[in-house]
Amino acid sequence: MKKEFYDAIVVGSGVAGSIAVKELTEKGMSVILLEAGPFLGEKDFNVTPGRHEKVKKIDALARFKIAVTGQPLQARATYMSNEYRHLFVNDWQNPYTTPKGQYFLWIRGRQLGGRLHTYGRVLQRMSDYDFKAASLDGYGQNWPISYEELDPWYSRIEEFLGVYGIEENIPNLPDGKFVQTPILTKPEKAFKAKVESLWPERKVTSWRFSAPNLKRIPIGVQAAIDTGLLELRTDAIAKNIDVDPISGKATGVTFVDRLTKQEHTVRAGMVMLCASAIESVRLLLNSRSPRHPEGIGNSKGLLGRYFLEQTPSLIAGSVPDSLGWEYDKTIPQDPFCRPAGGIVIPRFQNIGSNTTKEFIRGFAFQGVIGRGYVSPDSPSQFGLMGFGEMLARPENRITLNPRKKDAWGIPAPHIDCSFGENDLIVMKAQLRTIKEMVSECNYKVDFAGTALGLENARNAMPDETFLMKTIFRLSFKKSVGLGAAIHESGGARMGDNPSTSVLNSFNQCWDVSNVFVTDGACFVTSGTVGPTLTMMAITARACDYAAEQYKKGQL
C-alpha cells in the first residue's frame, strides 16, 4: 500500500540511485524510488547461443534502421545493435539542444538500472591526483574530500559488488578490494611487457570490473527491496522538486507518469538526486519557485556550470603475430553483454617527477587485445580508447531550453560544451602516444582518430566494402565526438564554499539542506578513469551522513 509520506525520495535507479536506496533503507529509512523508464528483468535480456562467437562488423544497415525509427543519436553508441536498442532512450521523445555549430553526443538509458545495463562494469578508484589536482598544478578547484576520506567507501562498494582486478601499487590508480585476478590474453601480456620495458612509467594492468548481474534488477535495488522499506515506482519522470514556500525546503517531487502523462506528487523528508549529471541539473533548474526563482541550488548562478566530459580517442586494428581470440573462462561472464576484461594504462603524465610542459593533467587508455572474436587462423584484433581529463570551465554548462520540450512537456536540457585549449592539446597527445605504443608492437592500424576526426581517413577500414568505408568515414567524427566517452559529470559541483559550489562536502545542497545530489553532477574534476565507482562511493558516504542528520532532525 502506498504511503502518504516517506523519509526519502531517490530519483534514478542506476549507478548512484541503486546504491542510495540500499544504504538508506538499510539504515531504517522508508524510501520511494522514482525511475523514469520501465521495469526490466531477466525476460528482457534474451541470449542468442554463440553470441560472442561472431565477427563484429559495422552493421550500417541495422544502425540506419535504428536511427530512422527514433534513435538517431543513440545509434552512434559503439555497442548499439538491435538486441541492445531497448536499453537506450528514444531521441525523438527525449530531445536536447546544443548551440549552433556545437555537437554533444549524449548516450542515455531510461529503465530500471539505467546505464548499469550497458556500461563495461569497469570500476576504478580516483586518487588525490584527482581530488587535490588544483594543489598540484594551480588550476581550478580541489574537491572538498580526499582519497583517505573516500577509501573506506570505495572498499564498501567493492566488497558489495565483487570486483576483479590485480594489485599493482600504482599511486594514481589505487588498488581495491579484489575477489580474484582476471587473465590477460597472450597478446595483452606481450603488449604489457613491451610497453613497460620501453617506458617504465607507463603501467599496463588489468581492468578492475564487477561480476555480472544476471538477475538484471540492480543488486542495490534488490537489497533495498529485501529490507521491506522500499517502494519502487517505475515509469515516473521527475518534473520538479516541490518546496515549502516559507522554509524553502523540499517537501517532495512532482513526476509525470510515462504512460498516462498524468502528474503525481510524492512527499518526503529529503530528496536525493541520482538521475545522471545532466538530468539532475535539469531537474534542479526546473524546480523554480518564489524561494528559488532560478532553480534549487542556483542562488549564486553556479548550477549547470563547470560541466565536464573527457577527451575521447579511438584506435583499432590487428595483431599480426597473434592469431584467434581468447575468452576469460576463469571469471563469470554475462552471456548477453560483451565479455568483460582487458587492459588499462593509467594516466602517467604529470605524476610525481614525470611532468610535461605541453599540458596539465593528462590521459589514460582502456581497451582489449585478442578478445574480439575472429576465426582461429585470423590475426587477433585490438581496440583501445583514450580518455583525457577535460578541464573545468564555467562556460561549459547545462541550461534549459524553454522552447524545446520532451514528450511529457518538460523543458529540454541545452548542452553548451566545447573543448578548451588544454583539452585539444591533451586529445592530440593521447592519440599520438597510443599510436607510438602500438607501432612499437608492430600492430596493423585499421583506423585511428579523435573527436576532431579520423587520421588518414582514406586508408581507414581497409578490409571493408567501399560503402561501409564511406559510411564509417562520414560518421566517425560524431560517433567519437564530445560525449562519446559517456563519462559526463559536473554541473552541481561539491565544495567548501557556497560562493563557489552548489553542494557541500557531503553532497548536500547549500541552498536547500534536505536536497542531496550524488551522481556525476557533483564532480569537481573529470579525471581520466571511469566515474562509476566514485559515484557509488560518494553516494554511500552521503547517505550515511544524510540518514544521521535526518534522524537528528537537522536537515
Side-chain angles (χ1 to χ4, degrees), residues 129-186:
Y129 284 103
D130 301 297
F131 300 125
K132 303 303 176 186
S135 293
L136 299 173
D137 58 33
Y139 183 89
Q141 185 172 300
N142 283 330
W143 291 58
I145 56 176
S146 66
Y147 175 75
E148 183 179 10
E149 290 174 274
L150 206 55
D151 178 26
W153 301 104
Y154 275 137
S155 296
R156 180 176 176 85
I157 299 300
E158 289 163 341
E159 290 169 349
F160 174 63
L161 296 179
V163 176
Y164 298 85
I166 182 171
E167 294 185 2
E168 294 274 14
N169 298 313
I170 301 171
N172 59 303
L173 187 68
D175 294 323
K177 301 289 185 181
F178 303 135
V179 296
Q180 186 179 321
T181 300
I183 71 163
L184 293 181
T185 65
K186 289 180 180 178

Side-chain angles (χ1 to χ4, degrees), residues 189-485:
K189 290 177 181 177
F191 181 84
K192 173 181 172 68
K194 185 72 170 181
V195 168
E196 292 184 350
S197 68
L198 293 174
W199 300 281
E201 74 282 2
R202 303 182 189 182
K203 304 300 181 184
V204 182
T205 187
S206 166
W207 282 18
R208 284 97 186 264
F209 58 97
S210 68
N213 172 22
L214 302 184
K215 295 295 185 182
R216 308 304 174 185
I217 298 174
I219 62 174
V221 173
Q222 187 60 59
I225 291 172
D226 292 344
T227 68
L229 293 172
L230 177 70
E231 181 180 323
L232 173 60
R233 183 70 185 262
T234 53
D235 298 313
I237 303 171
K239 180 180 180 181
N240 60 269
I241 299 171
D242 303 306
V243 299
D244 181 88
I246 298 175
S247 68
K249 290 186 178 182
T251 59
V253 172
T254 293
F255 67 89
V256 182
D257 186 289
R258 184 177 70 90
L259 303 175
T260 68
K261 297 189 177 181
Q262 296 297 307
E263 286 192 7
H264 305 271
T265 297
V266 288
R267 299 176 61 243
M270 59 174 280
V271 176
M272 186 164 284
L273 301 188
C274 306
S276 81
I278 298 171
E279 289 286 18
S280 287
V281 169
R282 177 193 186 192
L283 181 56
L284 290 167
L285 286 168
N286 203 46
S287 299
R288 301 188 180 204
S289 67
R291 287 297 302 266
H292 306 286
E294 301 302 320
I296 290 176
N298 205 19
S299 61
K300 300 295 189 297
L302 292 172
L303 182 61
R305 293 191 180 275
Y306 299 100
F307 178 64
L308 298 159
E309 237 289 359
Q310 292 174 343
T311 62
S313 62
L314 187 62
I315 186 169
S318 59
V319 185
D321 60 355
S322 177
L323 299 177
W325 71 301
E326 294 180 49
Y327 187 80
D328 189 351
K329 296 180 180 179
T330 68
I331 59 173
Q333 291 282 6
D334 187 334
F336 180 81
C337 299
R338 58 199 186 283
I343 60 168
V344 170
I345 306 172
R347 171 186 153 194
F348 53 86
Q349 316 83 15
N350 301 314
I351 300 292
S353 60
N354 183 44
T355 59
T356 175
K357 293 182 179 180
E358 186 182 3
F359 52 81
I360 63 172
R361 313 290 164 89
F363 48 84
F365 300 98
Q366 176 185 310
V368 296
I369 307 174
R371 293 177 186 264
Y373 180 79
V374 292
S375 60
D377 57 349
S378 296
S380 301
Q381 301 294 299
F382 80 91
L384 296 162
M385 189 165 187
F387 301 89
E389 176 161 349
M390 188 173 186
L391 299 184
R393 295 184 291 128
E395 57 266 38
N396 282 343
R397 66 185 301 200
I398 306 299
T399 55
L400 297 181
N401 185 341
R403 294 180 299 278
K404 187 78 171 180
K405 296 185 178 181
D406 66 17
W408 300 273
I410 304 171
H414 182 70
I415 304 172
D416 185 350
C417 188
S418 61
F419 295 118
E421 181 180 357
N422 193 79
D423 307 328
L424 293 171
I425 296 172
V426 163
M427 186 162 48
K428 292 172 184 176
Q430 73 192 45
L431 185 61
R432 183 174 68 244
T433 300
I434 194 60
K435 286 174 61 182
E436 175 184 57
M437 287 188 273
V438 301
S439 175
E440 286 291 343
C441 294
N442 297 316
Y443 289 2
K444 176 189 174 185
V445 176
D446 286 343
F447 67 85
T450 68
L452 301 176
L454 270 171
E455 285 197 349
N456 301 318
R458 290 194 176 189
N459 299 320
M461 305 298 289
D463 298 328
E464 289 285 355
T465 65
F466 175 77
L467 176 61
M468 292 299 102
K469 285 192 286 189
T470 301
I471 293 173
F472 178 78
R473 291 169 188 162
L474 294 174
S475 64
F476 182 87
K477 187 174 181 179
K478 287 190 173 182
S479 295
V480 191
L482 182 54

Side-chain angles (χ1 to χ4, degrees), residues 462-541:
D463 298 328
E464 289 285 355
T465 65
F466 175 77
L467 176 61
M468 292 299 102
K469 285 192 286 189
T470 301
I471 293 173
F472 178 78
R473 291 169 188 162
L474 294 174
S475 64
F476 182 87
K477 187 174 181 179
K478 287 190 173 182
S479 295
V480 191
L482 182 54
I486 320 180
H487 290 165
E488 69 272 9
S489 60
R493 65 178 181 173
M494 303 165 68
D496 288 322
N497 188 330
S499 66
T500 59
S501 58
V502 176
L503 312 170
N504 69 13
S505 62
F506 288 99
N507 301 80
Q508 184 178 25
C509 183
W510 290 111
D511 293 351
V512 183
S513 62
N514 63 342
V515 171
F516 293 78
V517 184
T518 71
D519 55 28
C522 74
F523 277 38
V524 180
T525 62
S526 71
T528 58
V529 304
T532 303
L533 183 60
T534 299
M535 282 190 271
M536 290 177 164
I538 280 178
T539 297
R541 179 176 178 270

